[in-house]
Amino acid sequence: MNVADKKRLLREMLFARRFEERCYEAYVERKIGGFLHLYSGEEACAHGVLEAARPGHDYVITGYRDHIHAIKCGADPKKVMAELYGKETGSSKGRGGSMHIFDVEHRFMGGYALVGGPFPLAAGMAKAIKMKGGDEIAICFLGDAANNQGTFHESLNMAKVWNLPVLYVCENNLYGIGTRIDRSTAVIDQYKRVSGYDIPSAQTDGQDIEAVYKAARKAVDHVRGGKGPYFLELMTYRYRGHSMSDSNAYRSRDEEREWSGRDPIIILRDRLIEAGEITKQDYKALDTEVLDEIEDEVIAFAEASPEPRVDELEKYTFAENDPWVYGGGR
Amino acid sequence: MAEIMYWEAIRRAHDEEMARDPMVICMGEDIGVAGGTYKATQGLYDKYGPERVIDTPISENGYTGLGIGASFLGVRPIIEIMSVNFAWLATDQFFNSAAKVRYMSGGQLTAPVVVRSAGGTAHQLGAQHSARMEKVFMGIAGLRVVTPSNPRQAYGLLKSAVRCNDPVYINEHELMYNMKGEVPDEEYFHPLEGSEVAREGRDVTLFGYNVSVHWCLQAAETLSRQFGIEAEVVDLFALSPLDRAGITASVRKTHRAVIVEEAEAPVGVGAEVMAIINEECFFELDAAPRRVSAVNVPIPYNHKLEKAAIPNAGDVVTAVRKMLGK
Ligand SMILES: Cc1ncc(C[n+]2csc(CCOP(=O)(O)OP(=O)(O)O)c2C)c(N)n1
Ligand SMILES: [Mg+2]
């Protein structure tokens, strides 16, 4: 990772933060409905891992906290915001919403709202990659609490038995909604849990993007090298509530303060300032630039876009005019 | 046209589709080395190898999800779930992922998987091996549900299902795998929508699907021979979407309907067909439609109790006679 990369990543992570915080505002203004899960505080996880992978080439899948993963894969932030606004120009044409961002062109294979749902889907994509003989890998990002689902164990087992090119990334933010990990989970260190499947794993600071990148480099090389699945645990924290209705009453202010002191954007910023690569003023200017872009381009696009037509309500339920439905004829 | 068994028809469809397209795979418990509980994949492991004929761990939700994920990238998995009772465990991935992904991605992704399993009540297998789940599958938007009543349909429906771009559930029957029937020697693709008139008649329509088509045909024979009643039998091989036009056309002709289902009545095929009749041709009816369904109990082990729980041709005859006052 050279200085130019770090500067770019600083901008990307700052953009991600400002994007999410702007979603928060839009939700309060009732422009965005439903459930909204923000990624603020966890930016170094997606950015660090995908920096080590090949976004747009590797297949990425995740849960409902999915905006930033999609954007890092190459999805247009305008389309992601338009999706949150429920617009026809949205990445899923307004049919998906915040939890179901898809951008198949950039191989972002979706956000899924069933906790643990993507585990086997990722293994399946890896199976397909293997059959086709490509050099892609499948990457699945999910939370810590998802590891208590059966799909976690079923998928790890199959991935190992069939030596599938899949990287499981656990974004361990210590909570599943309001339940702290030690109250729900017998083994706190998630990377230890996969030893039961003989899958190599590691645990890393998820707030320091360079640490994430380094660990992910090793993980990605392992998987792409044909050595089978890998499990990477990133220790992180979400700065907002689980979703918009959550006041974080179950977390201590001390704990929150401790983690705000480890903000992934500030860590990288200060490192760049210390190295003399940027100044405080540069960072301020960057922030203004990002905020303007979000307002003038992203929000403006979402606002101006049309809603889906009600007469197209049933579109996308089934494939259109599939000849095999009619016995191959017609 | 050769007479082959239901299981052989399914096996042949697998074999032809796998030979044609290297992206077609099949997966399930004991389907490979062991050849499949009902022999539907017999010999395929030797022919296509372990990468395409996959013996899975006993993880129904996991391997169904894996098949769905593979289908996102163009693989065409045929997933066998040993018994439909175990399919409950896979409903999360099948319903939440496969059925919804096209819609919630705005048409970007599709999950062209086939899930097939042995449904129905066999002989004394007890409550946890006797479920009939077709009603559950047919209530899910985004899924196609078909159910073959004979080897020709079993072959042709699987052929079409593999090629169709939608997720398809094929409801087979434990007791039908050894049933013989004619299957065309040349390739045959059965439509995934519609219905078939299995017997023409004018006095009443008997709607059946899968095994109950045979009860209807038996009953129609008895009704004709002993009571001079000419029953039409309509085979609803497609349960979702149901054939509105076909159902209506037959009722317009006979003006009477009896729906025969192996499952319990609540929220079932009978209820759905009856609703369609009410909506489409209520004023064509000469009598209130009736359902012949299973008794609403977990299926008992005892053979007498089991027999009493599941309908048969005699029950169909009784229902028609009551309806016609004969
Ligand atoms: C199958 C299922 N059960 C419950 C929920 C409700 N739910 C949504 S997110 C969540 C917590 C998940 O926590 P974690 O996996 O750690 O991810 P995080 O939200 O912390 O990123 C729960 C219980 C759900 N969406 N799906
Ligand atoms: Mg969590």
Side-chain angles (χ1 to χ4, degrees):
Chain A
M1 207 189 270
N2 60 32
V3 172
D5 291 331
K6 285 182 205 170
K7 284 188 185 171
R8 175 176 45 79
L9 285 166
L10 181 67
R11 189 190 198 282
E12 287 179 12
M13 290 204 292
L14 186 56
F15 184 91
R17 176 71 56 86
R18 293 305 189 191
F19 183 95
E20 294 289 75
E21 296 303 311
R22 188 61 182 81
C23 290
Y24 185 100
E25 281 174 40
Y27 189 90
V28 173
E29 293 165 14
R30 294 177 176 274
K31 303 277 188 178
I32 298 175
F35 286 130
L36 178 66
H37 309 83
L38 303 177
Y39 199 56
S40 300
E42 307 188 23
E43 293 87 351
C45 299
H47 285 91
V49 170
L50 292 175
E51 193 63 22
R54 292 169 63 187
H57 180 72
D58 293 329
Y59 293 92
V60 175
I61 193 165
T62 188
Y64 40 82
R65 206 179 293 287
D66 57 352
H67 315 161
I68 302 308
H69 303 79
I71 292 171
K72 178 65 180 166
C73 284
D76 183 344
K78 296 201 286 291
K79 289 188 181 173
V80 176
M81 188 62 82
E83 185 60 32
L84 306 183
Y85 272 60
K87 298 295 181 74
E88 179 70 24
T89 55
S91 36
S92 299
K93 302 211 159 56
R95 270 73 165 180
S98 165
M99 300 187 284
H100 307 305
I101 305 294
F102 285 78
D103 186 346
V104 173
E105 192 194 329
H106 292 99
R107 300 193 170 173
F108 179 70
M109 307 303 275
Y112 297 78
L114 276 283
V115 172
F119 284 126
L121 299 174
M125 294 194 296
K127 166 72 185 168
I129 291 167
K130 210 175 164 189
M131 281 178 68
K132 293 168 149 188
D135 70 343
E136 303 95 335
I137 65 171
I139 306 176
C140 175
F141 290 87
L142 282 177
D144 46 293
N147 298 346
N148 290 328
Q149 284 287 22
T151 48
F152 173 72
H153 301 275
E154 295 183 8
S155 302
L156 289 174
N157 181 53
M158 292 186 293
K160 179 67 187 184
V161 171
W162 299 324
N163 198 44
L164 301 177
V166 55
L167 169 59
Y168 288 108
V169 179
C170 175
E171 300 172 325
N172 186 349
N173 60 15
L174 308 176
Y175 290 84
I177 308 188
T179 305
R180 206 187 143 87
I181 189 165
D182 52 276
R183 297 183 56 235
S184 64
T185 307
V187 175
I188 304 298
D189 288 322
Q190 297 303 295
Y191 75 97
K192 290 182 184 166
R193 298 179 78 181
V194 306
S195 62
Y197 302 99
D198 205 11
I199 292 175
S201 63
Q203 185 188 54
T204 283
D205 179 5
Q207 303 305 90
D208 177 351
I209 191 163
E210 293 185 66
V212 174
Y213 176 81
K214 205 171 144 219
R217 176 85 275 145
K218 189 176 160 204
V220 166
D221 289 347
H222 174 95
V223 177
R224 209 185 300 284
K227 294 186 193 145
Y230 193 98
F231 181 88
L232 179 60
E233 177 181 15
L234 305 173
M235 303 309 295
T236 187
Y237 205 72
R238 65 171 151 71
Y239 291 168
R240 290 284 180 189
H242 168 75
S243 66
M244 296 299 288
S245 56
D246 178 9
S247 62
N248 287 324
Y250 47 83
R251 306 201 299 202
S252 80
R253 299 305 147 230
D254 280 351
E255 181 183 280
E256 290 184 349
R257 256 193 302 277
E258 187 192 315
W259 283 93
S260 339
R262 307 214 60 249
D263 186 318
I265 298 170
I266 304 303
I267 290 176
L268 181 60
R269 180 199 69 181
D270 289 353
R271 214 172 269 163
L272 285 167
I273 291 175
E274 235 165 75
E277 298 297 344
I278 61 165
T279 63
K280 271 211 154 116
Q281 284 76 356
D282 292 338
Y283 180 76
K284 272 220 171 102
L286 182 66
D287 196 15
T288 311
E289 183 189 307
V290 162
L291 285 167
D292 286 349
E293 183 185 333
I294 288 170
E295 215 50 51
D296 301 345
E297 294 182 30
V298 175
I299 293 290
F301 177 79
E303 291 276 355
S305 291
E307 298 206 49
R309 290 161 39 159
V310 174
D311 65 3
E312 290 188 346
L313 170 66
E314 292 174 77
K315 205 175 170 182
Y316 309 123
T317 308
F318 287 121
E320 265 168 62
N321 304 317
D322 191 318
W324 303 107
V325 169
Y326 312 106
R330 252 198 258 184
Chain B
M1 213 175 313
E3 273 222 338
I4 58 174
M5 288 193 208
Y6 196 85
W7 71 263
E8 288 174 305
I10 298 166
R11 205 210 78 95
R12 178 180 152 197
H14 274 92
D15 194 4
E16 286 176 7
E17 290 306 297
M18 292 187 75
R20 172 189 64 90
D21 179 356
M23 284 296 122
V24 177
I25 63 171
C26 55
M27 48 197 294
E29 293 157 24
D30 291 318
I31 68 153
V33 173
T37 310
Y38 302 100
K39 299 191 278 192
T41 52
Q42 201 177 56
L44 300 181
Y45 181 87
D46 290 337
K47 197 161 171 187
Y48 300 105
E51 290 292 325
R52 294 182 62 201
V53 182
I54 305 167
D55 281 312
T56 65
I58 305 165
S59 307
E60 283 79 6
N61 202 35
Y63 66 72
T64 300
L66 190 146
I68 294 164
S71 80
F72 290 171
L73 271 62
V75 175
R76 297 266 165 173
I78 306 170
I79 301 167
E80 173 174 304
I81 296 184
M82 195 183 262
S83 151
V84 78
N85 300 266
F86 317 150
W88 283 114
L89 282 82
T91 51
D92 163 39
Q93 285 297 333
F94 199 41
F95 294 176
N96 283 315
S97 301
K100 294 172 184 166
V101 75
R102 173 185 285 276
Y103 199 89
M104 69 190 196
S105 70
Q108 290 180 75
L109 263 191
T110 185
V113 292
V114 180
V115 173
R116 37 171 296 276
S117 74
T121 299
H123 297 305
Q124 291 195 274
L125 300 185
Q128 294 188 330
H129 280 79
S130 304
R132 293 120 298 151
M133 264 178 75
E134 57 277 8
K135 61 163 107 177
V136 179
F137 288 90
M138 67 188 273
I140 306 298
L143 289 186
R144 296 187 173 279
V145 180
V146 294
T147 184
S149 66
N150 56 49
R152 175 181 54 86
Q153 288 183 2
Y155 166 77
L157 285 171
L158 179 52
K159 294 274 291 183
S160 299
V162 170
R163 300 194 188 195
C164 173
N165 282 319
D166 299 318
V168 181
Y169 171 66
I170 305 184
N171 180 62
E172 295 163 6
H173 199 289
E174 291 240 5
L175 294 181
M176 287 168 71
Y177 288 105
N178 288 330
M179 166 197 212
K180 270 198 159 176
E182 288 193 333
V183 178
D185 297 325
E186 65 281 6
E187 270 196 314
Y188 165 67
F189 298 91
H190 198 80
L192 299 172
E193 289 184 9
S195 59
E196 278 178 357
V197 177
R199 178 185 173 119
E200 298 255 10
R202 57 169 191 271
D203 298 326
V204 57
T205 303
L206 308 178
F207 290 100
Y209 62 93
N210 191 277
V211 71
S212 75
V213 170
H214 302 284
W215 306 336
C216 292
L217 287 169
Q218 267 178 3
E221 194 56 40
T222 307
L223 288 166
S224 171
R225 239 185 316 106
Q226 296 183 13
F227 304 98
I229 298 169
E230 292 309 321
E232 175 146 304
V233 176
V234 173
D235 180 338
L236 301 171
F237 60 80
L239 293 181
S240 185
L242 274 166
D243 183 16
R244 243 168 208 276
I247 291 167
T248 310
S250 185
V251 173
R252 281 189 202 284
K253 178 176 162 194
T254 64
H255 309 287
R256 291 181 189 86
V258 175
I259 307 107
V260 186
E261 58 195 331
E262 194 192 9
E264 323 82 334
V267 205
V269 177
E272 206 49 51
V273 172
M274 222 183 248
I276 289 173
I277 294 169
N278 280 350
E279 286 162 2
E280 300 289 340
C281 53
F282 181 81
F283 294 105
E284 295 275 347
L285 288 170
D286 285 346
R290 283 175 173 273
R291 286 178 294 187
V292 175
S293 323
V295 179
N296 197 14
V297 290
I299 296 302
Y301 165 69
N302 174 277
H303 70 107
K304 272 191 194 157
L305 295 181
E306 181 184 63
K307 204 163 165 248
I310 300 295
N312 57 38
D315 297 332
V316 181
V317 171
T318 308
V320 172
R321 287 180 58 201
K322 263 194 196 151
M323 180 178 277
L324 285 147
K326 287 194 182 176

